[in-house]
Amino acid sequence: MTDAQVDILIRNGIVLTMNPDHTVIPDGAVAIQGDHIAAVGGPATVGTCGARKVIDAGGGIIMPGLVNTHTHASMTLFRGLADDVPLMSWLNDHIFPAEADLDYRKVYCGALLACAEMILSGTTTFCDMYLFEDAVAQAARTAGMRAVVGEVLFDFPSPHYGPLEEGFAYTAALIEAYRGDPLITVAVEPHSPYLCAPELLQRAFELANRHRLPMVVHLAETEKEVQDLRQRYGRTPVEHLETLGVLAPNVLACHCVKLSATDIQRLQRYDVKVSHNPESNMKLASGIAPVPELLAAGVCVGIGTDGAASNNNLDLFLEMDTAAKLHKVHRLDPTVLGAETVLRMATREGARALGLSHRIGSLEAGKQADLILIDTRRPHLTPLYHPVSQLVYAAKGSDVTTAIINGRVVMENGRILTFDVQKAMDDVNAIGDRIAGRR
Ligand SMILES: [Zn+2]
């Protein structure tokens, strides 16, 4: 590599590759050419190659960008609007009325603010479900973020597209509009088995398969959902989807809090992917997903924040910390969900959950260059015995200083380079003032 000229060279850092062998390079470097990683190695090889731009990691950590496998980015608009209320009141009295008044611009502004928050806290890819989803894709594009986007589909008329038929037409148009896009992947996203009729779920699944795209669905989130489905169909939510023939490796099931032992076996058998959202499940008092059991069964589990109204932040570092600790106290066993496992869930397993593992999730030559730098020269990160433990149990999103997505530096030294963050905050504050004024 010595004589080669690459676009970006990041050196003088501890490289956590998150590759299958969990290789850690203590004094490592990463070379980026165009949109992909050209080489990962030590100071004598990669560290000395010529580059147009050199970034000194200052002895900190160089790692893959985090993957948020489930969010509703634009719900930043409703952050803190209604907290500490029962789930059904939260939805029916606060969130649904506020959402009825959404439009393209509001969704765009909310999503762009979410992109700022996510980039600043080390997330480089997010999987979104919402209304006016083209606005979310455009916000991600403005921010330079990687995203999986999908218009939410359900039985009742949408405040965006109206009748369901239009929702499918909109989804089909999204698929065409972003085909081959370097950053945006479209998914087909029926809300859940309790808000979607069997025919809707099957049609969504067929559409996803026809285009080889993910299908994203909320599944088994609450006890009430399980009871409702049992009453309506005589089956658990997972059994219901199995009966409909819509369980497959390209299905991402979000939450999966209430699962029976046989549900877990079913998810494993069909290689369904799961998004674990511990803070949302805690805040809405939904329960604790059986993540250790899912992992023991061999199910791929990623981590998600869910929307900002039920979290109330999009910081995956905090989410990792919560995930690791929640399962320990729940099992009264400090050995479950170790830091290494949790960090893998937030990186390579998250990428796999979104069907993107061939492109992102680890630092390996040939993969897309999505990576972050963490400054460890801070009191709360000193001393540094185990980088992985430090990241999960001591680090915060604000320790991330630099983010590169698809080979482009989108944040450097804590400053976002792709758009005006102050304006994004001003825009959302103005929308928030109007929402507050109506109440
Ligand atoms: Zn959700």
Side-chain angles (χ1 to χ4, degrees):
M1 284 303 293
T2 311
D3 300 324
Q5 180 86 5
V6 295
D7 289 326
I8 303 172
L9 176 70
I10 307 161
R11 48 176 217 71
N12 187 28
I14 303 163
V15 177
L16 300 186
T17 62
M18 303 310 289
N19 68 10
D21 301 328
H22 311 299
T23 307
V24 177
I25 307 166
D27 182 8
V30 178
I32 297 170
Q33 183 70 47
D35 62 1
H36 66 275
I37 296 168
V40 182
T45 53
V46 180
T48 56
C49 77
R52 284 174 195 84
K53 179 180 175 69
V54 177
I55 298 174
D56 188 328
I61 295 168
I62 307 169
M63 62 173 288
L66 302 177
V67 178
N68 188 343
T69 52
H70 180 60
T71 189
H72 312 277
S74 304
M75 289 188 84
T76 51
L77 297 173
F78 313 130
R79 190 197 322 263
L81 180 67
D83 295 330
D84 312 324
V85 293
L87 175 62
M88 281 306 139
S89 161
W90 178 78
L91 263 180
N92 295 322
D93 303 334
H94 302 280
I95 299 302
F96 285 159
E99 287 183 338
D101 196 44
L102 285 173
D103 58 29
Y104 186 96
R105 186 179 170 276
K106 289 175 188 165
V107 170
Y108 177 86
C109 291
L112 193 61
L113 182 74
C115 288
E117 184 182 356
M118 288 191 275
I119 290 171
L120 286 165
S121 54
T123 295
T124 53
T125 297
F126 67 101
C127 178
D128 201 69
M129 174 192 281
Y130 214 52
L131 310 158
F132 299 93
E133 197 65 20
D134 183 49
V136 179
Q138 288 300 320
R141 200 178 250 181
T142 300
M145 281 195 83
R146 198 178 296 285
V148 176
V149 301
E151 183 76 11
V152 64
L153 304 169
F154 32 50
D155 292 333
F156 47 88
S158 153
H160 169 211
Y161 53 75
L164 175 63
E165 203 53 41
E166 297 299 320
F168 274 105
Y170 185 81
T171 300
L174 275 183
I175 293 170
E176 287 313 313
Y178 292 96
R179 192 184 292 284
D181 192 277
L183 290 175
I184 309 297
T185 303
V186 175
V188 185
E189 307 204 3
H191 182 276
S192 59
Y194 63 94
L195 292 186
C196 299
E199 306 74 50
L200 196 174
L201 292 164
Q202 287 173 322
R203 192 173 162 193
F205 183 65
E206 281 162 22
L207 181 62
N209 286 348
R210 197 177 325 137
H211 295 281
R212 296 169 177 268
L213 296 171
M215 182 175 95
V216 180
V217 62
H218 293 107
L219 189 66
E221 182 174 358
T222 63
E223 184 58 38
K224 183 172 186 325
E225 173 184 340
V226 176
Q227 285 171 5
D228 286 356
L229 273 268
R230 203 170 274 293
Q231 218 162 44
R232 248 188 271 174
Y233 306 108
R235 296 187 281 264
T236 70
V238 176
E239 282 171 347
H240 180 54
L241 294 199
E242 183 188 36
T243 307
L244 296 179
V246 303
L247 292 183
N250 62 328
V251 173
L252 174 62
C254 304
H255 298 300
C256 290
V257 172
K258 300 291 176 184
L259 299 177
S260 69
T262 49
D263 284 340
I264 293 172
Q265 286 170 10
R266 283 187 184 90
L267 294 175
Q268 187 276 331
R269 195 178 321 135
Y270 292 96
D271 194 18
V272 172
K273 312 300 190 291
V274 169
S275 174
H276 178 40
N277 302 244
E279 293 192 3
S280 170
N281 299 154
M282 291 164 73
K283 184 161 181 276
L284 298 175
S286 305
I288 300 173
V291 173
E293 286 82 354
L294 284 164
L295 294 176
V299 177
C300 171
V301 184
I303 295 183
T305 57
D306 209 356
S310 59
N311 188 304
N312 290 358
N313 62 66
L314 307 177
D315 184 336
L316 273 177
F317 279 91
L318 302 181
E319 203 76 30
M320 286 195 287
D321 183 54
T322 301
K325 288 172 182 166
L326 175 64
H327 295 283
K328 293 179 201 313
V329 71
H330 183 51
R331 304 298 143 108
L332 299 179
D333 178 359
T335 68
V336 296
L337 236 63
E340 182 85 46
T341 300
V342 172
L343 194 63
R344 216 165 38 233
M345 288 165 68
T347 52
R348 63 177 302 123
E349 291 302 288
R352 192 152 78 90
L354 302 183
L356 294 173
S357 59
H358 57 299
R359 295 172 62 193
I360 57 165
S362 60
L363 301 184
E364 297 176 79
K367 281 201 172 181
Q368 309 298 118
D370 287 15
L371 51 101
I372 56 175
L373 270 56
I374 291 98
D375 187 355
T376 53
R377 294 166 295 187
R378 302 188 177 193
H380 67 280
L381 299 179
T382 304
L384 182 58
Y385 298 116
H386 305 293
V388 172
S389 288
Q390 204 85 318
L391 288 171
V392 172
Y393 296 121
K396 300 185 276 262
S398 52
D399 297 323
V400 178
T401 54
T402 298
I404 296 175
I405 304 174
N406 212 42
R408 179 184 185 194
V409 182
V410 298
M411 173 172 74
E412 193 164 21
N413 299 319
R415 208 170 67 81
I416 289 182
L417 306 178
T418 44
F419 62 102
D420 184 344
V421 177
Q422 184 59 53
K423 182 177 184 307
M425 290 192 289
D426 292 345
D427 287 344
V428 169
N429 274 327
I431 296 167
D433 284 347
R434 289 202 294 277
I435 292 172
R438 269 201 313 276
R439 289 156 66 80

